[in-house]
């Protein structure tokens, strides 16, 4: 079946079977290998991409479902979080980093829109800030398997510092992930 996906701002025509996941379409059909295949069950977050600015697990999505929607992979991201991860060695082995960054960008958008989470019943009670518990809850779908015990604390403080900065200065368009 022929479909057109809008990936990182460009229209891409693909001939795929209806059961092909968005993850496989990105990696195997388009050669965009920044998005990683981890568990292939939606449990680890390594495959996180943005669909119309919202984070999704690409391994659980069928490519045909995303016709006409804007899909952003790590290759299309240009955000200060990328430079911050490099600057602070927050990426460790790097396997989960693309999903972590896409998920964090989606997290900031959700928080800005006032989307609640399991950690905060009413966002107004937090004064609008992303505290450690809120970040931990909102990022809980992205696992790091490197065993770097300090990664969570680094990521929390890093995201709080990086959230208000404007877009630009990232490395996604040039690769590097």
């Amino acid at each position: 079946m022929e479909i057109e996906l809008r990936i990182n701002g460009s229209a891409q025509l693909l001939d795929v079977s209806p059961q092909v996941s968005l993850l496989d379409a990105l990696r195997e059909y388009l050669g965009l290998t920044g998005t990683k295949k981890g568990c292939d069950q939606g449990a680890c977050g390594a495959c996180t991409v943005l669909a119309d600015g919202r984070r999704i697990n690409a391994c659980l999505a069928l490519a045909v479902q995303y016709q006409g929607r804007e899909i952003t992979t790590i290759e299309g991201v240009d955000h200060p979080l990328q430079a911050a991860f490099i600057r602070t060695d927050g990426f460790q082995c790097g396997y989960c980093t693309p999903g972590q960054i896409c998920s964090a960008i989606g997290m900031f958008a959700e928080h800005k829109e006032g989307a609640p989470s399991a950690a905060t019943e009413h966002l107004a009670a937090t004064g609008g800030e992303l505290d450690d518990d809120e970040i931990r809850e909102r990022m809980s779908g992205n696992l790091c398997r490197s065993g770097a015990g300090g990664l969570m604390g680094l990521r929390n403080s890093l995201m709080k510092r990086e959230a208000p900065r404007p877009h630009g200065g990232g490395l996604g368009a040039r690769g590097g992930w």
Side-chain angles (χ1 to χ4, degrees):
M1 129 182 266
E2 192 168 280
I3 62 170
E4 181 178 293
L5 295 177
R6 189 135 185 89
I7 309 291
N8 301 325
S10 298
Q12 303 287 333
L13 232 76
L14 298 171
D15 187 16
V16 298
S17 298
Q19 71 271 16
V20 170
S21 70
L22 180 59
L23 176 61
D24 288 341
L26 294 170
R27 293 182 59 81
E28 297 174 21
Y29 290 75
L30 296 173
L32 296 172
T33 57
T35 304
K36 305 300 183 207
K37 185 178 275 198
C39 66
D40 216 16
Q41 299 175 351
C44 73
C47 66
T48 304
V49 297
L50 301 170
D52 296 329
R54 294 213 164 295
R55 54 191 170 161
I56 63 166
N57 291 329
C59 72
L60 296 180
L62 296 176
V64 298
Q65 294 175 289
Y66 286 87
Q67 290 191 88
R69 306 212 20 220
E70 180 63 38
I71 305 299
T72 305
T73 68
I74 193 66
E75 290 91 347
V77 167
D78 186 19
H79 196 279
L81 282 173
Q82 293 165 293
F85 265 72
I86 291 172
R87 187 172 57 250
T88 60
D89 289 332
F91 54 87
Q92 299 299 313
C93 79
Y95 195 82
C96 68
T97 304
Q100 297 273 1
I101 290 173
C102 286
S103 188
I105 291 168
M107 175 192 69
F108 288 131
E110 291 164 10
H111 183 259
K112 184 177 179 180
E113 293 169 2
S117 77
T120 307
E121 188 174 331
H122 300 288
L123 287 178
T126 68
E129 294 295 316
L130 281 169
D131 63 19
D132 286 354
D133 289 338
E134 187 70 24
I135 292 170
R136 191 174 291 111
E137 170 60 30
R138 289 179 185 259
M139 293 295 292
S140 64
N142 292 82
L143 305 178
C144 174
R145 295 184 173 134
S146 72
L151 182 60
M152 184 64 190
L154 166 68
R155 188 176 66 207
N156 287 348
S157 62
L158 178 63
M159 284 185 209
K160 285 195 288 190
R161 275 198 320 272
E162 296 298 326
R165 291 181 45 190
H167 291 291
L171 297 176
R174 292 186 295 255
W177 295 105

